[in-house]
Amino acid sequence: MSNTIVVDRRSLIAGATVLSVVAALRPLQAQEKPMIDARTALIVVDVQNDFCPGGSLAVGKGDEVVAVINALGKRFASIVLTQDWHPAGHSSFASSHPGKKPFELVQMPYGPQVLWPDHCIQGTRGAEFRADLDLPTAQTIIRKGYRPQIDSYSGFTEADRKTPTGLGGYLRERGVTRAVVVGLATDFCVSWTAQDAAKAGLETLVVEEACRAIDLNGSLAKAWTDMTALGVKRVTAAELAG
Ligand SMILES: [Zn+2]
């Protein structure tokens, strides 16, 4: 009797696998689109002057995400902004490492660290959100990278991979189960934020046209590989229902 049950289970699993493959090959039907609902939060990563053209760490065409994010934001009741927020002389700045140049790699106590031009220094215009970012329903700003010795790409966990920002607990207490991540830059702060969202157990989606990348030594391709491996879904805004 127990053998029969095992065989049946195997058949069921095999059948389910076939069905999921078939489902993956079809275009998404409206009712199958990931929903923007009361349990879905939009996480807008680092849409700040220094990451846009004219800024000290400009992401190519970074300003183009603003209109896309403004339109997307109208569909969300729950929006979180992250804001890179460094003290002057931060350890992630090349200027803090004599003889080093921006985009070189150094070893920090917590692992390898790309060195950046000075950017997003607390209280400066470069650290401000883009003036045309229009998200009146945003309720929370998570500032990150303010500890002098630790960088923070992710909105959830700093670069030492153990210091939480509090965003995970905030979303959990508010009953959020799905995160839609957008912003700058795809291959650093968006990718790390999306990966941490997935690790926190959230269904996580990245809206590709609402992001722009730095793409340093293949970092963009690696970011998508890493995100996909954790189950992060790469979508367009049109593929989100609600
Ligand atoms: Zn930074």
Side-chain angles (χ1 to χ4, degrees):
M1 187 63 194
S2 62
N3 278 346
T4 307
I5 292 168
V6 169
V7 169
D8 283 349
R9 273 194 191 147
R10 282 181 182 157
S11 311
L12 281 173
I13 291 166
T17 304
V18 170
L19 282 176
S20 63
V21 169
V22 169
L25 294 174
R26 284 189 289 120
L28 286 177
Q29 303 299 311
Q31 69 274 16
E32 295 172 335
K33 290 181 176 181
M35 280 296 297
I36 300 172
D37 59 17
R39 298 169 80 83
T40 309
L42 179 66
I43 302 177
V44 180
V45 177
D46 297 3
V47 183
Q48 294 167 258
N49 291 324
D50 269 345
F51 294 127
C52 290
S56 64
L57 180 43
V59 179
K61 301 183 178 177
D63 54 330
E64 292 183 357
V65 303
V66 174
V68 182
I69 293 171
N70 287 347
L72 192 58
K74 292 183 171 49
R75 300 163 62 189
F76 285 80
S78 180
I79 301 176
V80 176
L81 308 179
T82 73
Q83 188 173 27
D84 215 31
W85 194 250
H86 299 302
H90 190 258
S91 59
S92 73
F93 296 167
S95 62
S96 302
H97 301 261
K100 296 290 182 186
K101 294 192 181 67
F103 309 108
E104 285 185 30
L105 205 62
V106 295
Q107 286 298 319
M108 296 288 209
Y110 52 79
Q113 169 73 47
V114 179
L115 294 178
W116 305 107
D118 290 19
H119 65 278
C120 296
I121 295 174
Q122 295 166 1
T124 64
R125 188 178 173 281
E128 291 173 8
F129 292 117
R130 284 276 304 200
D132 51 352
L133 189 66
D134 183 21
L135 298 169
T137 58
Q139 294 150 354
T140 305
I141 296 168
I142 296 285
R143 287 177 165 167
K144 60 188 180 63
Y146 51 80
R147 291 181 172 84
Q149 302 304 323
I150 315 175
D151 204 2
S152 189
Y153 296 152
S154 166
F156 287 83
T157 312
E158 298 190 11
D160 63 358
R161 313 310 296 149
K162 59 187 180 196
T163 304
T165 65
L167 178 56
Y170 171 83
L171 295 175
R172 193 164 52 246
E173 282 202 355
R174 293 173 59 115
V176 170
T177 57
R178 184 182 297 117
V180 176
V181 185
V182 297
L184 303 170
T186 322
D187 40 346
F188 287 92
C189 295
V190 169
S191 172
W192 286 49
T193 298
Q195 290 183 53
D196 280 350
K199 287 177 189 168
L202 301 168
E203 180 187 357
T204 306
L205 307 105
V206 172
V207 179
E208 189 167 17
E209 76 270 28
C211 305
R212 292 292 183 278
I214 295 174
D215 203 10
L216 198 62
N217 303 320
S219 57
L220 180 58
K222 182 178 186 312
W224 282 118
T225 302
D226 292 346
M227 287 191 280
T228 303
L230 286 169
V232 175
K233 295 176 189 132
R234 181 176 181 167
V235 298
T236 65
E239 287 174 327
L240 298 171

